[in-house]
Short mmCIF file of all heavy atoms in Angstrom, two decimals:
data_model
loop_
_atom_site.label_atom_id
_atom_site.label_comp_id
_atom_site.label_asym_id
_atom_site.label_seq_id
_atom_site.Cartn_x
_atom_site.Cartn_y
_atom_site.Cartn_z
N TYR P 1 179.64 0.48 27.95
CA TYR P 1 180.21 -0.65 28.70
C TYR P 1 179.38 -0.87 29.96
O TYR P 1 179.27 0.02 30.80
CB TYR P 1 181.67 -0.37 29.08
CG TYR P 1 182.42 -1.61 29.52
CD1 TYR P 1 183.35 -2.22 28.70
CD2 TYR P 1 182.18 -2.18 30.78
CE1 TYR P 1 184.04 -3.36 29.09
CE2 TYR P 1 182.86 -3.32 31.18
CZ TYR P 1 183.78 -3.92 30.33
OH TYR P 1 184.46 -5.05 30.73
N ASN P 2 178.79 -2.06 30.07
CA ASN P 2 177.99 -2.39 31.26
C ASN P 2 178.92 -2.86 32.37
O ASN P 2 179.28 -4.04 32.44
CB ASN P 2 176.96 -3.47 30.93
CG ASN P 2 175.91 -3.02 29.95
OD1 ASN P 2 175.69 -1.82 29.77
ND2 ASN P 2 175.25 -3.97 29.30
N VAL P 3 179.30 -1.96 33.24
CA VAL P 3 180.28 -2.30 34.27
C VAL P 3 179.65 -3.00 35.46
O VAL P 3 180.35 -3.66 36.24
CB VAL P 3 181.05 -1.05 34.76
CG1 VAL P 3 181.80 -0.40 33.61
CG2 VAL P 3 180.12 -0.06 35.43
N SER P 4 178.32 -2.89 35.63
CA SER P 4 177.67 -3.51 36.77
C SER P 4 176.29 -4.01 36.39
O SER P 4 175.52 -3.31 35.72
CB SER P 4 177.56 -2.52 37.94
OG SER P 4 176.85 -3.08 39.04
N ARG P 5 175.98 -5.25 36.81
CA ARG P 5 174.67 -5.86 36.69
C ARG P 5 174.50 -6.81 37.87
O ARG P 5 175.47 -7.25 38.47
CB ARG P 5 174.52 -6.65 35.38
CG ARG P 5 174.42 -5.79 34.13
CD ARG P 5 173.13 -4.99 34.09
NE ARG P 5 172.92 -4.34 32.83
CZ ARG P 5 173.38 -3.13 32.52
NH1 ARG P 5 174.11 -2.46 33.39
NH2 ARG P 5 173.12 -2.58 31.34
N ASP P 6 173.26 -7.17 38.17
CA ASP P 6 173.02 -8.17 39.19
C ASP P 6 173.10 -9.53 38.52
O ASP P 6 172.16 -9.98 37.87
CB ASP P 6 171.64 -7.96 39.85
CG ASP P 6 171.51 -8.75 41.13
OD1 ASP P 6 171.71 -9.98 41.08
OD2 ASP P 6 171.23 -8.15 42.19
N THR P 7 174.23 -10.20 38.66
CA THR P 7 174.46 -11.46 37.95
C THR P 7 173.61 -12.59 38.49
O THR P 7 173.42 -13.61 37.82
CB THR P 7 175.94 -11.85 38.04
OG1 THR P 7 176.33 -11.93 39.43
CG2 THR P 7 176.82 -10.83 37.34
N GLY P 8 173.04 -12.43 39.70
CA GLY P 8 172.21 -13.49 40.26
C GLY P 8 170.79 -13.46 39.74
O GLY P 8 170.00 -14.36 40.03
N LEU P 9 170.42 -12.42 38.98
CA LEU P 9 169.07 -12.31 38.43
C LEU P 9 169.17 -12.13 36.92
O LEU P 9 168.94 -11.07 36.38
CB LEU P 9 168.34 -11.12 39.06
CG LEU P 9 167.93 -11.28 40.54
CD1 LEU P 9 167.35 -9.98 41.06
CD2 LEU P 9 166.93 -12.40 40.70
N SER P 10 169.52 -13.20 36.26
CA SER P 10 169.75 -13.12 34.82
C SER P 10 168.48 -12.79 34.05
O SER P 10 168.53 -12.26 32.94
CB SER P 10 170.33 -14.44 34.30
OG SER P 10 169.45 -15.51 34.60
N SER P 11 167.31 -13.10 34.66
CA SER P 11 166.06 -12.84 33.96
C SER P 11 165.43 -11.50 34.33
O SER P 11 164.35 -11.17 33.87
CB SER P 11 165.05 -13.96 34.29
OG SER P 11 164.76 -13.98 35.67
N PHE P 12 166.13 -10.71 35.17
CA PHE P 12 165.56 -9.44 35.60
C PHE P 12 165.39 -8.52 34.39
O PHE P 12 166.34 -8.21 33.69
CB PHE P 12 166.46 -8.78 36.64
CG PHE P 12 165.83 -7.59 37.31
CD1 PHE P 12 164.84 -7.76 38.25
CD2 PHE P 12 166.22 -6.32 36.98
CE1 PHE P 12 164.26 -6.67 38.87
CE2 PHE P 12 165.64 -5.22 37.58
CZ PHE P 12 164.65 -5.40 38.54
N ALA P 13 164.15 -8.09 34.15
CA ALA P 13 163.81 -7.38 32.90
C ALA P 13 163.94 -5.87 33.05
O ALA P 13 163.90 -5.33 34.14
CB ALA P 13 162.40 -7.74 32.47
N ASN P 14 164.13 -5.22 31.91
CA ASN P 14 164.03 -3.76 31.82
C ASN P 14 165.14 -3.04 32.56
O ASN P 14 164.95 -1.96 33.09
CB ASN P 14 162.65 -3.29 32.34
CG ASN P 14 162.30 -1.90 31.81
OD1 ASN P 14 162.83 -1.47 30.78
ND2 ASN P 14 161.44 -1.22 32.52
N VAL P 15 166.32 -3.63 32.64
CA VAL P 15 167.44 -2.92 33.23
C VAL P 15 167.92 -1.86 32.27
O VAL P 15 167.68 -1.91 31.07
CB VAL P 15 168.60 -3.87 33.59
CG1 VAL P 15 168.16 -4.89 34.62
CG2 VAL P 15 169.15 -4.56 32.36
N VAL P 16 168.61 -0.87 32.83
CA VAL P 16 169.10 0.23 32.03
C VAL P 16 170.00 -0.28 30.91
O VAL P 16 170.87 -1.12 31.11
CB VAL P 16 169.83 1.24 32.92
CG1 VAL P 16 170.99 0.61 33.64
CG2 VAL P 16 170.32 2.41 32.12
N ASN P 17 169.74 0.19 29.71
CA ASN P 17 170.57 -0.08 28.54
C ASN P 17 170.57 -1.53 28.08
O ASN P 17 171.11 -1.85 27.03
CB ASN P 17 172.03 0.36 28.78
CG ASN P 17 172.75 0.68 27.49
OD1 ASN P 17 172.35 1.57 26.75
ND2 ASN P 17 173.81 -0.04 27.19
N GLY P 18 169.98 -2.44 28.85
CA GLY P 18 169.95 -3.84 28.46
C GLY P 18 171.32 -4.50 28.51
O GLY P 18 172.35 -3.85 28.70
N GLY P 19 171.35 -5.81 28.36
CA GLY P 19 172.61 -6.52 28.30
C GLY P 19 173.17 -6.91 29.64
O GLY P 19 172.86 -6.33 30.67
N LYS P 20 174.04 -7.91 29.64
CA LYS P 20 174.64 -8.43 30.86
C LYS P 20 175.87 -7.63 31.26
O LYS P 20 176.33 -6.74 30.53
CB LYS P 20 175.02 -9.90 30.64
CG LYS P 20 173.84 -10.81 30.35
CD LYS P 20 174.29 -12.24 30.15
CE LYS P 20 173.11 -13.16 29.87
NZ LYS P 20 173.53 -14.57 29.67
N LYS P 21 176.42 -7.97 32.41
CA LYS P 21 177.64 -7.34 32.88
C LYS P 21 178.78 -7.60 31.90
O LYS P 21 178.89 -8.70 31.33
CB LYS P 21 178.00 -7.87 34.27
CG LYS P 21 179.23 -7.21 34.88
CD LYS P 21 179.52 -7.75 36.27
CE LYS P 21 180.75 -7.09 36.86
NZ LYS P 21 181.06 -7.61 38.22
N ASP P 22 179.59 -6.60 31.68
CA ASP P 22 180.75 -6.62 30.78
C ASP P 22 180.36 -6.58 29.31
O ASP P 22 181.24 -6.54 28.44
CB ASP P 22 181.67 -7.82 31.04
CG ASP P 22 182.35 -7.74 32.40
OD1 ASP P 22 182.64 -6.61 32.84
OD2 ASP P 22 182.56 -8.80 33.02
N PHE P 23 179.07 -6.60 29.01
CA PHE P 23 178.66 -6.41 27.61
C PHE P 23 179.02 -5.00 27.19
O PHE P 23 178.77 -4.04 27.92
CB PHE P 23 177.15 -6.64 27.51
CG PHE P 23 176.60 -6.46 26.13
CD1 PHE P 23 177.09 -7.18 25.05
CD2 PHE P 23 175.56 -5.57 25.90
CE1 PHE P 23 176.57 -7.01 23.78
CE2 PHE P 23 175.03 -5.39 24.64
CZ PHE P 23 175.54 -6.12 23.57
N ASN P 24 179.63 -4.85 26.01
CA ASN P 24 180.05 -3.54 25.55
C ASN P 24 180.10 -3.52 24.04
O ASN P 24 180.11 -4.56 23.39
CB ASN P 24 181.41 -3.15 26.15
CG ASN P 24 182.53 -4.02 25.62
OD1 ASN P 24 183.19 -3.69 24.64
ND2 ASN P 24 182.75 -5.18 26.27
N GLY P 25 180.13 -2.32 23.48
CA GLY P 25 180.21 -2.21 22.04
C GLY P 25 179.78 -0.84 21.54
O GLY P 25 179.49 0.06 22.32
N VAL P 26 179.71 -0.72 20.23
CA VAL P 26 179.25 0.50 19.58
C VAL P 26 177.82 0.26 19.11
O VAL P 26 177.50 -0.79 18.54
CB VAL P 26 180.15 0.86 18.38
CG1 VAL P 26 179.59 2.08 17.64
CG2 VAL P 26 181.57 1.13 18.85
N GLN P 27 176.94 1.20 19.40
CA GLN P 27 175.54 1.07 18.98
C GLN P 27 175.05 2.35 18.33
O GLN P 27 175.45 3.45 18.72
CB GLN P 27 174.64 0.71 20.17
CG GLN P 27 174.65 1.74 21.29
CD GLN P 27 173.79 1.34 22.46
OE1 GLN P 27 173.12 0.30 22.44
NE2 GLN P 27 173.78 2.15 23.51
N LEU P 28 174.20 2.19 17.32
CA LEU P 28 173.49 3.30 16.71
C LEU P 28 172.06 3.24 17.20
O LEU P 28 171.28 2.37 16.78
CB LEU P 28 173.54 3.21 15.18
CG LEU P 28 174.91 3.44 14.54
CD1 LEU P 28 174.82 3.22 13.03
CD2 LEU P 28 175.41 4.84 14.84
N ARG P 29 171.69 4.14 18.10
CA ARG P 29 170.35 4.09 18.67
C ARG P 29 169.31 4.75 17.78
O ARG P 29 168.12 4.45 17.89
CB ARG P 29 170.35 4.75 20.06
CG ARG P 29 171.02 3.89 21.12
CD ARG P 29 170.92 4.49 22.50
NE ARG P 29 171.79 5.64 22.67
CZ ARG P 29 171.39 6.86 22.97
NH1 ARG P 29 170.10 7.12 23.10
NH2 ARG P 29 172.26 7.84 23.13
N ARG P 30 169.73 5.64 16.91
CA ARG P 30 168.74 6.29 16.04
C ARG P 30 169.42 6.98 14.86
O ARG P 30 170.44 7.65 15.02
CB ARG P 30 167.92 7.31 16.80
CG ARG P 30 166.89 8.04 15.94
CD ARG P 30 165.69 8.45 16.76
NE ARG P 30 165.07 7.30 17.37
CZ ARG P 30 164.06 7.38 18.24
NH1 ARG P 30 163.58 8.55 18.60
NH2 ARG P 30 163.53 6.30 18.76
N ILE P 31 168.82 6.79 13.67
CA ILE P 31 169.19 7.56 12.48
C ILE P 31 167.89 7.99 11.83
O ILE P 31 167.06 7.16 11.47
CB ILE P 31 170.01 6.73 11.48
CG1 ILE P 31 171.23 6.10 12.15
CG2 ILE P 31 170.44 7.60 10.30
CD1 ILE P 31 171.96 5.10 11.27
N ASN P 32 167.68 9.28 11.71
CA ASN P 32 166.47 9.82 11.09
C ASN P 32 166.80 10.52 9.78
O ASN P 32 167.79 11.26 9.70
CB ASN P 32 165.79 10.85 12.02
CG ASN P 32 164.96 10.19 13.10
OD1 ASN P 32 164.55 9.05 12.98
ND2 ASN P 32 164.70 10.92 14.17
N PHE P 33 165.97 10.28 8.79
CA PHE P 33 166.05 11.04 7.54
C PHE P 33 164.67 11.61 7.26
O PHE P 33 163.70 10.85 7.12
CB PHE P 33 166.51 10.17 6.37
CG PHE P 33 166.69 10.94 5.10
CD1 PHE P 33 167.85 11.67 4.88
CD2 PHE P 33 165.69 10.97 4.13
CE1 PHE P 33 168.01 12.41 3.71
CE2 PHE P 33 165.85 11.69 2.97
CZ PHE P 33 167.01 12.42 2.75
N THR P 34 164.58 12.93 7.19
CA THR P 34 163.29 13.61 7.11
C THR P 34 163.20 14.46 5.85
O THR P 34 164.14 15.17 5.49
CB THR P 34 163.09 14.53 8.34
OG1 THR P 34 163.26 13.75 9.52
CG2 THR P 34 161.71 15.16 8.34
N TYR P 35 162.05 14.36 5.18
CA TYR P 35 161.78 15.20 4.02
C TYR P 35 160.49 15.96 4.26
O TYR P 35 159.42 15.36 4.43
CB TYR P 35 161.66 14.35 2.75
CG TYR P 35 161.35 15.16 1.51
CD1 TYR P 35 162.31 16.01 0.97
CD2 TYR P 35 160.12 15.07 0.87
CE1 TYR P 35 162.04 16.76 -0.17
CE2 TYR P 35 159.84 15.81 -0.27
CZ TYR P 35 160.80 16.66 -0.78
OH TYR P 35 160.53 17.40 -1.90
N ASP P 36 160.58 17.29 4.30
CA ASP P 36 159.42 18.16 4.44
C ASP P 36 159.14 18.85 3.10
O ASP P 36 160.07 19.31 2.44
CB ASP P 36 159.67 19.24 5.51
CG ASP P 36 159.76 18.66 6.90
OD1 ASP P 36 159.11 17.63 7.16
OD2 ASP P 36 160.49 19.23 7.74
N TYR P 37 157.85 18.90 2.75
CA TYR P 37 157.49 19.54 1.48
C TYR P 37 156.23 20.37 1.68
O TYR P 37 155.21 19.87 2.18
CB TYR P 37 157.25 18.49 0.39
CG TYR P 37 156.82 19.09 -0.93
CD1 TYR P 37 157.72 19.83 -1.69
CD2 TYR P 37 155.53 18.92 -1.42
CE1 TYR P 37 157.34 20.40 -2.89
CE2 TYR P 37 155.13 19.48 -2.62
CZ TYR P 37 156.05 20.22 -3.36
OH TYR P 37 155.66 20.78 -4.54
N ASP P 38 156.30 21.65 1.29
CA ASP P 38 155.15 22.54 1.34
C ASP P 38 154.42 22.48 0.01
O ASP P 38 154.93 22.94 -1.02
CB ASP P 38 155.59 23.98 1.63
CG ASP P 38 156.17 24.14 3.03
OD1 ASP P 38 155.78 23.37 3.92
OD2 ASP P 38 157.04 25.03 3.22
N ILE P 39 153.23 21.90 0.04
CA ILE P 39 152.42 21.83 -1.18
C ILE P 39 151.93 23.23 -1.56
O ILE P 39 151.94 23.60 -2.74
CB ILE P 39 151.22 20.88 -0.96
CG1 ILE P 39 151.74 19.46 -0.68
CG2 ILE P 39 150.28 20.90 -2.16
CD1 ILE P 39 150.65 18.47 -0.31
N SER P 40 151.50 23.98 -0.55
CA SER P 40 151.03 25.34 -0.75
C SER P 40 151.11 26.05 0.59
O SER P 40 151.64 25.52 1.56
CB SER P 40 149.58 25.33 -1.27
OG SER P 40 148.70 24.81 -0.29
N GLU P 41 150.56 27.25 0.67
CA GLU P 41 150.54 27.95 1.94
C GLU P 41 149.66 27.24 2.97
O GLU P 41 149.87 27.39 4.17
CB GLU P 41 150.03 29.39 1.74
CG GLU P 41 151.00 30.29 0.97
CD GLU P 41 150.50 31.72 0.90
OE1 GLU P 41 149.40 31.98 1.43
OE2 GLU P 41 151.20 32.56 0.31
N SER P 42 148.71 26.48 2.50
CA SER P 42 147.76 25.81 3.40
C SER P 42 148.14 24.37 3.73
O SER P 42 147.73 23.85 4.77
CB SER P 42 146.35 25.83 2.80
OG SER P 42 145.87 27.15 2.65
N PHE P 43 148.90 23.72 2.84
CA PHE P 43 149.18 22.29 3.03
C PHE P 43 150.68 22.04 3.07
O PHE P 43 151.42 22.51 2.19
CB PHE P 43 148.55 21.47 1.91
CG PHE P 43 147.05 21.47 1.93
CD1 PHE P 43 146.33 22.37 1.15
CD2 PHE P 43 146.35 20.58 2.73
CE1 PHE P 43 144.95 22.39 1.17
CE2 PHE P 43 144.97 20.58 2.75
CZ PHE P 43 144.26 21.49 1.98
N THR P 44 151.09 21.27 4.07
CA THR P 44 152.48 20.86 4.18
C THR P 44 152.53 19.38 4.53
O THR P 44 151.56 18.83 5.08
CB THR P 44 153.23 21.70 5.23
OG1 THR P 44 154.62 21.39 5.20
CG2 THR P 44 152.69 21.42 6.64
N THR P 45 153.63 18.73 4.21
CA THR P 45 153.75 17.30 4.46
C THR P 45 155.10 16.99 5.10
O THR P 45 156.06 17.76 4.98
CB THR P 45 153.65 16.50 3.15
OG1 THR P 45 154.76 16.86 2.30
CG2 THR P 45 152.35 16.78 2.43
N ARG P 46 155.16 15.86 5.76
CA ARG P 46 156.42 15.34 6.29
C ARG P 46 156.49 13.85 6.05
O ARG P 46 155.52 13.12 6.27
CB ARG P 46 156.57 15.62 7.78
CG ARG P 46 157.72 14.83 8.43
CD ARG P 46 158.09 15.33 9.81
NE ARG P 46 158.79 16.61 9.70
CZ ARG P 46 159.36 17.21 10.75
NH1 ARG P 46 159.31 16.68 11.96
NH2 ARG P 46 159.98 18.38 10.58
N PHE P 47 157.66 13.39 5.59
CA PHE P 47 157.94 11.96 5.46
C PHE P 47 159.28 11.69 6.14
O PHE P 47 160.29 12.32 5.80
CB PHE P 47 158.02 11.55 3.98
CG PHE P 47 158.33 10.10 3.78
CD1 PHE P 47 157.39 9.13 4.08
CD2 PHE P 47 159.57 9.71 3.30
CE1 PHE P 47 157.68 7.79 3.90
CE2 PHE P 47 159.87 8.37 3.11
CZ PHE P 47 158.92 7.40 3.41
#
């Protein structure tokens, strides 16, 4: 919940968390799915 913003500078960039005052909601900032596979003792991979 963005409880405070400078409403007089609507174009002010790069504020914390983005969004205007009173903007609120549920957000998923990251979901990672990782697969590691060892080809041999010398070679390993990650996707």
Side-chain angles (χ1 to χ4, degrees):
Y1 195 106
N2 294 340
V3 299
S4 176
R5 288 293 189 272
D6 195 305
T7 56
L9 289 174
S10 58
S11 62
F12 190 74
N14 201 22
V15 298
V16 59
N17 205 60
K20 298 180 179 180
K21 183 178 180 180
D22 294 327
F23 179 56
N24 68 93
V26 176
Q27 60 182 357
L28 291 176
R29 286 185 287 120
R30 179 150 302 174
I31 306 171
N32 280 339
F33 184 81
T34 305
Y35 179 70
D36 292 329
Y37 178 69
D38 293 332
I39 297 174
S40 65
E41 291 184 359
S42 297
F43 292 95
T44 187
T45 63
R46 167 166 288 188
F47 179 71

